[in-house]
Amino acid sequence: MSSIKRYLQYVFPYKWKILVTVLIGIVKFGIPLLMPLIVKYVMDNIIGAESMTTSEKLSQLFWLMGIAAFLFVLLRPPIEYYRQYLAQWTGNKILFDIRERLFDHLQRLSLQFYSRTKTGEVISRVIHDVEQTKNFVMTGLMNIWLDMITIVIAIVIMLFMDVWLTVVAVALFPLYAISVKLFYGRLRLLTKNRSQALAEVQGHLHERVQGIPVTRSFALEDYEEGEFDKRNQNFFNKAIDHTVWNAKTFAVMNTITDVAPLLVIGFAGYFAITSDLTYGTMAAFVGYMDRVYSPLRRLISSSTVLVQSIASMDRVFELIDEKYDIQDKPNAQPLTNVKGHVRLDHVSFRYEDEEDLVLKDVSLDVKQGETIALVGMSGGGKSTVISLIPRFYDVTSGRISVDGHDIRDVQARSLRDKIGMVLQDNILFSESIAMNIRMGNPEASDEEVIQAAKAANAHEFITELSNGYDTLVGERGVKLSGGQKQRIAIARVFLKNPPLLILDEATSALDLESEHLIQETLDKLASDRTTFIVAHRLSTITHADRIILIENGEIVEEGTHHQLMQQQGHYYNLYQVQELDD
């Protein structure tokens, strides 16, 4: 299905508003079409009427001007207002619907999509490209029809005045059709290329603005300026290619538009000299040439706008067509009353089809309320395991079950609702502390938020802030320390109160004092919950019921801290090295 047909699905619910807008527009554009007729009537039927006295001429002129004043001063302004209002309301409501659809789609896309796509490029499509498609509604579904109807009405009026002069007036119309066919196919491709180049600039800019501390700390300002210049130059080149082709288009179109009135003036003068064409008719025809060719100019300009909007549609629907890697089965049931028995049964996993396996035949049986620590060297597969449990990715082979239910057979959202996660770098939104804690339960009362903060040892530092729980934390929580951000993230999980808990390097980025305080909080959080802990610092997981050592995607050792130390294997060596470092 073409982009236009797909876009019309969003337009269809507002078809009656568009029809009313077009009908009002016909009246709005139709009133000025009376102006050349008024000129003709004044010249031929009032000024040129030799049988009328001066007072009669003035009387008719005043009556005519009174009627014209009513049409142009009293009737046309409210018509113009309602046309503009309905057109803008409809266009913006369609964009509202598309952005809602896109945002819902973005929330369902897998983490794999976001790992390969720049945030700025996604934002460019949702904001810039969607905004560009509005021109299809405003121009393609409203203004083009109005301009075409205006041209048709003007030509009909001209035919009633003089057939041959009308033929001369429209003689160059076929050249317009040829020019449109010649120029506008390539313009769509150039527009799409320009939009893609702009998205690359926005994506790079978004990433580099977030990374300003890195740029400053490594004194990379000159290097980054060069990198930005490359992308900016690419956009400039694509914009110039688009501009050059657009300029050629308008040069040809405007030449045709300028030649047509000259032909009419020449032939009208000839007919006025050699036949009975009145001066009023000649003046009216010249007036109607503006009424015909001004809409025609707009149609040509509209063609450019439409090409740009269709190119943006293509980019919007490319994003909408991104497949969901994780999809619920048609008969998937919600996961309820979770106790916390998690089982990995011969699980293997790779991120991409052509890549090597990251996990190889991993089996693990975790009982309700058990605390499992996953340790090992970086890249061994620990974080992959805990990404599979909430079904951020689906296993390549094998099976993961919760309380005996294969997680692929239940609704993914209901599964994640039963899992609380505290990560090494928890993202906080640039709103209040209370709002960030409420991410665990948006319906929670103020008292519940405070209780969760107290449980996370966060209440004390929050109350010391200038605005307490209403303090804005800045983008990604920039106004808080690492330990404070972690406690806010832990408070979220306390508020959510899930039966399953995942802690991924939750203390590795903290100083020893903050780590000790947060470790106590995490121990309290993990109590009576099935808990998975990923940790590099082995001293923080010695209390775990079982420690799983994963290397190269396989479980190589398993047991309690005491058992593994007695075996004096890989875990023992890692622990000894860390103790020496400490």
Side-chain angles (χ1 to χ4, degrees):
M1 189 186 298
S2 70
S3 295
I4 294 176
K5 286 183 178 178
R6 294 178 68 180
Y7 194 83
L8 287 174
Q9 294 175 352
Y10 293 93
V11 174
F12 186 76
Y14 307 102
K15 60 183 181 299
W16 296 115
K17 280 190 170 60
I18 292 174
L19 179 60
V20 170
T21 304
V22 171
L23 292 175
I24 293 175
I26 291 173
V27 178
K28 181 253 181 184
F29 282 100
I31 291 175
L33 290 176
L34 297 174
M35 191 66 76
L37 287 178
I38 293 172
V39 172
K40 179 183 182 318
Y41 187 83
V42 170
M43 292 182 68
D44 290 345
N45 296 80
I46 297 179
I47 298 174
E50 297 178 357
S51 60
M52 294 172 62
T53 64
T54 301
S55 62
E56 289 174 332
K57 291 180 180 180
L58 290 175
S59 177
Q60 284 211 23
L61 180 63
F62 292 151
W63 272 105
L64 183 63
M65 290 300 99
I67 295 170
F70 171 77
L71 292 174
F72 285 90
V73 178
L74 297 178
L75 185 61
R76 193 164 183 263
I79 289 174
E80 173 68 21
Y81 169 81
Y82 284 109
R83 192 195 82 84
Q84 285 289 344
Y85 173 79
L86 284 172
Q88 291 295 332
W89 187 94
T90 304
N92 285 305
K93 188 63 172 68
I94 291 169
L95 298 197
F96 173 86
D97 293 345
I98 293 173
R99 287 200 177 105
E100 276 208 329
R101 169 74 179 89
L102 275 174
F103 187 74
D104 179 68
H105 178 65
L106 290 172
Q107 293 193 96
R108 296 171 187 270
L109 288 173
S110 69
L111 297 183
Q112 199 160 338
F113 166 79
Y114 291 103
S115 69
R116 67 174 185 266
T117 309
K118 287 185 176 180
T119 304
E121 184 165 342
V122 174
I123 292 172
S124 175
R125 296 200 186 203
V126 176
I127 302 301
H128 173 73
D129 286 312
V130 171
E131 189 67 30
Q132 285 288 95
T133 67
K134 180 181 176 182
N135 293 322
F136 178 78
V137 180
M138 304 298 295
T139 301
L141 298 180
M142 296 181 188
N143 292 350
I144 279 184
W145 294 109
L146 293 175
D147 286 333
M148 291 176 66
I149 291 169
T150 300
I151 291 170
V152 170
I153 294 173
I155 290 174
V156 169
I157 295 172
M158 291 161 67
L159 282 169
F160 276 105
M161 288 192 294
D162 192 286
V163 174
W164 287 110
L165 206 53
T166 305
V167 171
V168 173
V170 301
L172 297 183
F173 275 22
L175 287 180
Y176 272 96
I178 295 170
S179 299
V180 168
K181 184 175 179 60
L182 180 66
F183 284 103
Y184 284 99
R186 177 167 170 73
L187 193 61
R188 179 175 178 179
L189 175 63
L190 292 173
T191 302
K192 190 173 181 179
N193 291 342
R194 185 186 65 174
S195 296
Q196 179 59 34
L198 177 60
E200 289 173 5
V201 171
Q202 290 177 318
H204 184 80
L205 183 62
H206 183 273
E207 193 173 60
R208 286 326 191 254
V209 168
Q210 286 188 323
I212 283 292
V214 177
T215 303
R216 291 280 174 83
S217 62
F218 285 92
L220 293 173
E221 288 87 349
D222 292 342
Y223 171 78
E224 286 298 339
E225 187 172 330
E227 290 296 302
F228 180 78
D229 282 348
K230 290 178 186 176
R231 290 159 179 82
N232 202 22
Q233 183 66 45
N234 179 52
F235 171 64
F236 175 76
N237 293 338
K238 294 292 190 293
I240 291 300
D241 290 342
H242 180 273
T243 300
V244 167
W245 195 256
N246 209 20
K248 290 178 181 177
T249 303
F250 275 97
V252 172
M253 299 300 185
N254 286 333
T255 299
I256 297 171
T257 305
D258 291 339
V259 168
L262 291 176
L263 286 175
V264 169
I265 292 171
F267 276 94
Y270 174 79
F271 291 148
I273 294 170
T274 60
S275 63
D276 59 350
L277 185 73
T278 66
Y279 297 146
T281 301
M282 180 179 176
F285 251 91
V286 173
Y288 275 118
M289 288 306 295
D290 181 61
R291 296 298 188 273
V292 169
Y293 280 92
S294 288
L296 202 55
R297 280 194 185 95
R298 288 197 298 271
L299 282 174
I300 302 309
S301 177
S302 297
S303 301
T304 305
V305 170
L306 282 177
V307 168
Q308 293 172 350
S309 67
I310 292 169
S312 291
M313 278 183 208
D314 293 339
R315 286 172 48 78
V316 169
F317 288 116
E318 280 175 9
L319 179 56
I320 287 178
D321 288 339
E322 282 287 342
K323 302 297 183 186
Y324 300 138
D325 292 334
I326 307 299
Q327 295 193 63
D328 291 336
K329 294 180 179 179
N331 59 344
Q333 299 296 315
L335 185 64
T336 57
N337 301 321
V338 171
K339 294 181 174 61
H341 180 201
V342 180
R343 181 181 176 85
L344 282 72
D345 190 10
H346 299 287
V347 169
S348 296
F349 176 75
R350 58 165 57 91
Y351 285 97
E352 299 284 353
D353 291 340
E354 65 275 7
E355 293 181 355
D356 294 333
L357 288 171
V358 181
L359 294 178
K360 307 165 188 174
D361 196 34
V362 171
S363 293
L364 188 62
D365 193 1
V366 183
K367 300 294 189 293
Q368 176 184 347
E370 194 174 8
T371 296
I372 299 295
L374 304 174
V375 300
M377 301 297 289
S378 295
K382 308 182 299 297
S383 293
T384 301
V385 170
I386 62 166
S387 294
L388 293 174
I389 294 171
R391 209 179 162 208
F392 292 151
Y393 305 93
D394 272 337
V395 298
T396 303
S397 63
R399 176 176 182 267
I400 299 177
S401 63
V402 175
D403 294 347
H405 302 285
D406 190 322
I407 61 174
R408 291 170 296 187
D409 294 334
V410 301
Q411 294 173 2
R413 184 177 293 184
S414 70
L415 168 67
R416 293 166 192 160
D417 188 50
K418 303 300 184 292
I419 299 173
M421 301 188 72
V422 182
L423 310 177
Q424 178 180 350
D425 182 22
N426 288 283
I427 294 176
L428 300 186
F429 297 101
S430 59
E431 298 185 46
S432 69
I433 288 177
M435 178 271 174
N436 275 283
I437 295 176
R438 275 198 176 89
M439 295 299 292
N441 178 10
E443 305 301 322
S445 65
D446 291 343
E447 182 58 34
E448 289 172 324
V449 169
I450 293 171
Q451 289 304 317
K454 287 179 177 178
N457 290 329
H459 179 71
E460 184 176 347
F461 89 79
I462 293 173
T463 54
E464 291 175 355
L465 296 173
S466 57
N467 294 312
Y469 282 85
D470 294 326
T471 301
L472 301 180
V473 301
E475 189 171 3
R476 297 180 68 90
V478 68
K479 295 181 181 179
L480 302 178
S481 69
Q484 289 172 335
K485 286 196 288 187
Q486 287 296 75
R487 280 179 273 173
I488 296 298
I490 294 168
R492 284 177 183 168
V493 180
F494 270 114
L495 193 61
K496 186 176 184 179
N497 193 27
L500 300 176
L501 182 63
I502 292 175
L503 309 175
D504 186 6
E505 304 287 357
T507 63
S508 63
L510 305 177
D511 57 70
L512 290 177
E513 184 176 352
S514 296
E515 179 187 21
H516 177 71
L517 179 63
I518 288 175
Q519 191 61 51
E520 288 181 353
T521 308
L522 291 175
D523 292 343
K524 181 167 56 173
L525 178 62
S527 177
D528 299 324
R529 303 176 203 270
T530 303
T531 304
F532 294 84
I533 304 174
V534 172
H536 276 118
R537 201 169 292 170
L538 302 184
S539 60
T540 63
I541 49 89
T542 56
H543 66 287
D545 297 315
R546 266 189 296 163
I547 297 171
I548 312 297
L549 180 66
I550 300 179
E551 287 187 359
N552 298 318
E554 299 178 294
I555 296 176
V556 295
E557 290 183 6
E558 179 178 348
T560 65
H561 171 72
H562 181 68
Q563 290 169 342
L564 294 179
M565 291 298 288
Q566 283 187 326
Q567 290 178 18
Q568 296 192 2
H570 293 280
Y571 178 82
Y572 173 84
N573 293 332
L574 282 174
Y575 193 84
Q576 291 296 102
V577 168
Q578 287 193 9
E579 286 293 297
L580 288 173
D581 287 343
D582 290 342

